[in-house]
Amino acid sequence: MKFDVITLFPEIIENYCSASVIGRAFKQEIVSVNTVNPRDFSTDKHKKVDDTPYGGGAGMVLMCQPFYDAYDSVKKLENCASIIFTPQGKPFNQEMGKNLSTKDQIISICGHYEGYDERIRQIPGLIEVSIGDFVLTGGELAALCVIDAVTRLIPGGIGKEESAEEDSFSEDLLEYPHYTRPNDFRGMKVPDVLLSGNHQEIAKWRKKQAILRTQAKRPDLFEKFMQREHTKEEKAILKELNLWI
Ligand code: ADE
């Protein structure tokens, strides 16, 4: 997977992508990240990338030319998703992350200041993506969320593939609770079943906890889970919990 990020602040992207688990995927060349600064493409003698808005008003607007030229310099592969980050976009979620993980290239356009010239949104094939109903100062954090979530879905991206499979959201359920040593911490004990060595019972307990947690914390997801097909094991648990209808 090749990530190209068009940004006026390349160091934000580079710093994050060189650290932690995601940094390892980059070092192992499972994914690569390349930043492109529209300022380097500005034809203005002062390397300007923004200008005052037509019609007046406060703030500056990012200009088309540096962004179009930066985009054209990286758009190479056929199996490519091009994203512009804005609070007006389609909300990002795990399903979108899964679809994006099948691409060979993801190009992200990050804006700053007041906004973009509307014509930047008209780059052919561009999709608008939001990471939530709040306004950030720029698209970099949003691009990093997508890069992070997609990298861990790429085979080998986080080492153990089954950990991504078992994630919250991968089957419309939140994750079950995890414990490690010690077995008793300040009087808080690890559930006995996890010490039993009975793998079937452990799997059943985990699924039950995942269902109960989802019901308590995310009624919207729980409704989605209840609508989908259930495995034999899930049906048995739902009956036990009096949730089977
Ligand atoms: N840019 C500013 N706010 C944003 C958001 N919530 N999502 C994506 N990009 C943004």
Side-chain angles (χ1 to χ4, degrees), residues 21 24 152 154-166:
V21 176
R24 211 157 49 220
R152 55 190 301 295
I154 294 169
I158 52 167
K160 281 203 330 214
E161 271 156 59
E162 70 269 28
S163 26
E165 273 299 302
E166 281 179 14

Side-chain angles (χ1 to χ4, degrees), residues 131-176:
I131 60 156
D133 287 341
F134 43 82
V135 182
L136 299 165
T137 55
E140 285 74 14
L141 281 174
L144 284 173
C145 287
V146 170
I147 291 172
D148 190 296
V150 170
T151 297
R152 55 190 301 295
L153 291 171
I154 294 169
I158 52 167
K160 281 203 330 214
E161 271 156 59
E162 70 269 28
S163 26
E165 273 299 302
E166 281 179 14
D167 276 345
S168 292
F169 307 116
S170 63
E171 39 178 28
D172 300 322
L173 287 174
L174 300 181
E175 237 182 312
Y176 55 77

Side-chain angles (χ1 to χ4, degrees), residues 173-176 206-214:
L173 287 174
L174 300 181
E175 237 182 312
Y176 55 77
R206 286 179 167 163
K207 179 69 82 165
K208 195 169 172 178
Q209 295 303 314
I211 292 172
L212 287 170
R213 270 194 166 186
T214 310

Side-chain angles (χ1 to χ4, degrees), residues 89-100:
K90 188 170 174 205
F92 181 68
N93 61 17
Q94 194 70 7
E95 195 187 335
M96 199 192 289
K98 267 190 205 154
N99 289 335
L100 290 172

Side-chain angles (χ1 to χ4, degrees), residues 33-51:
V33 68
N34 169 50
T35 54
V36 184
N37 193 335
R39 204 172 295 284
D40 297 335
F41 291 83
S42 173
T43 50
D44 174 81
K45 67 173 184 287
H46 303 294
K47 296 284 171 202
K48 228 167 75 141
V49 290
D50 57 0
D51 210 337

